């Protein structure tokens, strides 16, 4: 094996080698600024999302070091900002919270084991090249689920914002009712900190998306609590002691019972985390003109979670907001993520005393501002204009997720996407074709009023593959359109330009159609049959039974032959 071939093979396994070998001095400034900027954003976010997951805030910081370093080496995106994210944090809380008391040692151990399981699942999906499975998740369904989950996440932080001991629930109505019935018991100082934080974050965001709004808000709130001693004099809830130093390497506690119990939520987080990551990674890669490999992304995210779990990290994924900030700040390569990880590692070793007085209310405001930005109102407006069937799917998923909760909502979303995909393929679009005057072109008669049909001849185009799932639809459509004809059917022309595959069930249906038509003295003609479809027809004997002279390159030629037969 030559050195060049060896280098290519190694680069396939470690994508970072490509940007490391070709690193330009001019990229350093952007990577350095982006690394520092994301650090200032990630520290408060990581602590907030750990709290959202029901974990101690330092677990979020642990999840912001090793996973970032590993992904920088094995991921294919140069701008994706990996770390704790709101959606995954809520799924951790929803899944693990049903198995162990939130905040207990058992809960923390299971959350870390969950990170290992998520990593193994994602790695295996990448190794077996299963990245394509996310293509079955329709965008409207994802949008509906994400918007509903954002509301659930946001309202779950209301207890920290108002200083009330509200029960942990995904029922928004229950949360609001309990809050309204305890208005007099609200902590006015916590409410002032939380609402002030939201106003400040929104204001800073309007000024510039590059400003580290979360860090600024957290710093101001922390100084206020520390300066006025509000944790003691007013009872303001704070983060408290954060263990100094970096966690030691240790393999998560493995328990067969825990693994079986966590498997459904691990599968869910694996898919949701990957979808969130690949969506933003592909968008930015398209802008930067480079390619994202979905399977390598799975491997990179999987290894990030596996290694992270061995340093007491919660499950991680790529975040929308942080990735956008990373790109806007000038990130050119994975070095930006390395810089972020190193700076957070330094903060863990030397700066943990500064985290003691951070009020939980300000962390809640950071979460609320971040997740409410995920509510996709634009998609609703877009689908209302473009595709109202898809809007119905979005609304159904949104309502169902709010009613059933995040864990069941995501399963419903996946199932609904699959069902909708099957429905679309089993009931494909079709068109009755007519000839445009003074041309040899055939178009859908419903869309072209001037398109002329031929007496006794029915020309149809099905815009999908022929397979067992739509065989009945094909037969029923032919019968229905024949019944609508003014003159009796004598010849059927099938335009196969959109048919890429033909399975055995569809081929059998064509044999049956041909047999029935010959009994009725109706002939059958084809146009635009593609090579792979023609090969199946030849192997099954259909071409020989029908006759090769019944296949044409154009629809016009096929209709002329059908007209000649009908008039003969």
């Amino acid at each position: 094996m030559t050195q060049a071939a060896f280098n290519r093979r190694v680069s396939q396994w470690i994508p970072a080698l490509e940007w490391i070998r070709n690193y330009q001095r001019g990229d350093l400034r952007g990577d350095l600024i982006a690394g520092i900027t994301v650090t200032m954003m990630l520290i408060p976010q990581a602590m907030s999302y750990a709290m959202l997951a029901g974990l101690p805030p330092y677990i979020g910081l642990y999840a912001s070091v090793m996973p970032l370093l590993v992904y920088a080496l094995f991921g294919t995106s140069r701008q994706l900002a990996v770390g704790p994210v709101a959606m995954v944090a809520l799924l951790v809380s929803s899944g693990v919270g049903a198995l162990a008391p939130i905040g207990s040692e058992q809960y923390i151990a299971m959350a870390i084991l969950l990170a290992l399981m998520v990593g193994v699942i994602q790695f295996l999906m990448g190794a077996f090249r299963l990245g394509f499975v996310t293509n079955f998740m329709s965008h409207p369904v994802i949008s509906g689920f994400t918007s509903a989950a954002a509301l659930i996440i946001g309202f779950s932080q209301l207890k920290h914002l108002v200083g009330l001991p509200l029960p942990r629930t995904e029922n928004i109505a229950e949360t609001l009712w309990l809050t309204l019935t305890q208005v007099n018991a609200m902590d006015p100082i916590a409410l002032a900190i939380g609402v002030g934080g939201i106003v400040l974050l929104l204001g800073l965001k309007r000024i510039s998306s590059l400003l580290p709004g979360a860090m600024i808000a957290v710093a101001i709130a922390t100084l206020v609590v520390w300066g006025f001693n509000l944790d003691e004099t007013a009872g303001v809830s704070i983060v408290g002691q954060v263990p100094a130093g970096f966690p030691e390497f240790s393999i998560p506690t493995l328990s067969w019972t825990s693994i079986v119990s966590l498997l459904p939520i691990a599968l869910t987080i694996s898919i949701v985390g990957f979808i969130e990551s690949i969506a933003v990674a592909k968008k930015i890669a398209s802008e930067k003109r480079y390619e994202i490999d979905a399977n390598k992304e799975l491997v990179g995210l999987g290894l990030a979670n596996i290694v992270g779990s061995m340093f007491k990290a919660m499950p991680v994924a790529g975040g929308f907001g942080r990735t956008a900030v990373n790109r806007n700040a000038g990130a050119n390569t994975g070095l930006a993520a390395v810089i972020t990880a190193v700076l957070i590692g330094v903060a863990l070793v030397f700066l943990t005393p500064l985290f003691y007085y951070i009020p939980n209310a300000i962390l809640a405001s950071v979460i609320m501002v971040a997740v409410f930005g995920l509510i996709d109102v634009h998609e609703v407006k877009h689908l209302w204009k473009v595709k109202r069937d898809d809007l119905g799917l979005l609304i159904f998923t949104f309502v169902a997720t709010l009613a059933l909760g995040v864990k069941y909502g995501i399963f419903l979303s996946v199932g609904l996407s699959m069902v909708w995909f099957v429905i679309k393929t089993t009931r494909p679009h079709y068109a009755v074709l007519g000839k445009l005057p003074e041309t040899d072109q055939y178009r859908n008669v419903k869309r072209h009023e001037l398109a002329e049909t031929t007496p006794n001849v029915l020309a149809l185009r099905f815009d999908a593959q022929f397979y067992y799932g739509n065989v009945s639809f094909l037969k029923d459509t032919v019968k229905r359109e024949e019944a609508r004809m003014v003159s009796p059917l004598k010849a059927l022309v099938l335009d196969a330009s959109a048919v890429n595959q033909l399975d055995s069930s569809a081929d059998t249906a064509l044999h049956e159609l041909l047999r029935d038509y010959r009994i009725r003295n109706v002939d059958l003609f084809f146009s635009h049959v593609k090579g792979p479809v023609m090969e199946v027809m030849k192997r099954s004997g259909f071409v020989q039974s029908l006759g090769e002279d019944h296949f044409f390159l154009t629809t016009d030629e096929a209709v002329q032959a059908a007209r000649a037969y009908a008039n003969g």
Side-chain angles (χ1 to χ4, degrees), residues 240-504:
Q241 190 68 41
V242 175
F246 197 70
E248 295 182 357
F249 174 88
S250 63
I251 296 176
T253 303
L254 301 177
S255 163
W256 179 249
T257 303
S258 297
I259 290 173
V260 172
S261 301
L262 290 171
L263 187 58
I265 199 66
L267 286 167
T268 303
I269 292 175
S270 300
I271 295 172
V272 172
F274 175 60
I275 290 173
E276 183 170 351
S277 303
I278 197 71
V280 67
K282 281 188 172 182
K283 180 179 180 180
I284 293 178
S286 175
E287 295 172 359
K288 297 287 186 178
R289 300 184 181 276
Y290 68 90
E291 294 295 324
I292 293 293
D293 187 314
N295 295 306
K296 289 180 182 178
E297 281 297 288
L298 277 167
V299 170
L301 289 169
L303 289 173
N305 276 299
I306 290 171
V307 174
S309 72
M310 297 176 182
F311 290 91
K312 296 182 172 59
M314 61 187 286
V316 299
F320 283 104
R322 285 197 306 274
T323 300
V325 169
N326 197 36
R327 175 204 57 189
N328 293 339
N332 297 300
T333 69
L335 180 60
V338 174
I339 292 170
T340 297
V342 170
L343 291 176
I344 293 178
V346 170
L348 273 169
V349 175
F350 298 106
L351 304 179
T352 52
L354 300 179
F355 303 149
Y356 183 89
Y357 288 100
I358 295 176
N360 287 327
I362 196 67
L363 295 180
S365 67
V366 170
I367 293 174
M368 284 184 163
V369 171
V371 299
F372 285 152
L374 298 177
I375 299 174
D376 200 349
V377 178
H378 172 76
E379 182 69 7
V380 173
K381 295 178 180 178
H382 174 72
L383 292 178
W384 175 259
K385 295 179 181 178
V386 177
K387 192 75 172 176
R388 295 187 182 179
D389 288 349
D390 286 345
L391 177 60
L393 282 176
L394 186 154
I395 293 172
F396 179 82
T397 307
F398 178 82
V399 173
T401 302
L402 285 181
L404 301 176
V406 172
K407 185 168 63 175
Y408 295 107
I410 186 61
F411 284 120
L412 177 68
S413 301
V414 174
L416 192 60
S417 286
M418 298 292 285
V419 169
W420 189 241
F421 173 78
V422 171
I423 290 173
K424 284 185 174 181
T425 58
T426 55
R427 300 182 63 82
H429 176 267
Y430 74 94
V432 176
L433 302 178
K435 187 177 182 179
L436 297 178
E438 300 180 1
T439 72
D440 59 357
Q441 299 297 311
Y442 282 75
R443 294 291 185 269
N444 188 343
V445 295
K446 290 183 178 180
R447 298 181 182 275
H448 298 269
E449 294 180 358
L450 298 179
E452 300 173 350
T453 58
T454 302
N456 305 114
V457 176
L458 175 61
L460 288 175
R461 186 190 72 232
F462 286 89
D463 297 328
Q465 60 175 324
F466 284 173
Y467 78 114
Y468 67 90
N470 57 21
V471 164
S472 296
F473 180 78
L474 166 66
K475 291 180 178 179
D476 293 342
T477 300
V478 172
K479 290 179 183 178
R480 184 169 57 253
E481 292 302 330
E482 179 184 348
R484 292 173 178 172
M485 292 178 65
V486 177
S487 55
L489 177 67
K490 292 186 178 180
L492 172 66
V493 175
L494 290 178
D495 179 341
S497 58
V499 180
N500 298 317
Q501 295 185 46
L502 184 74
D503 74 356
S504 59

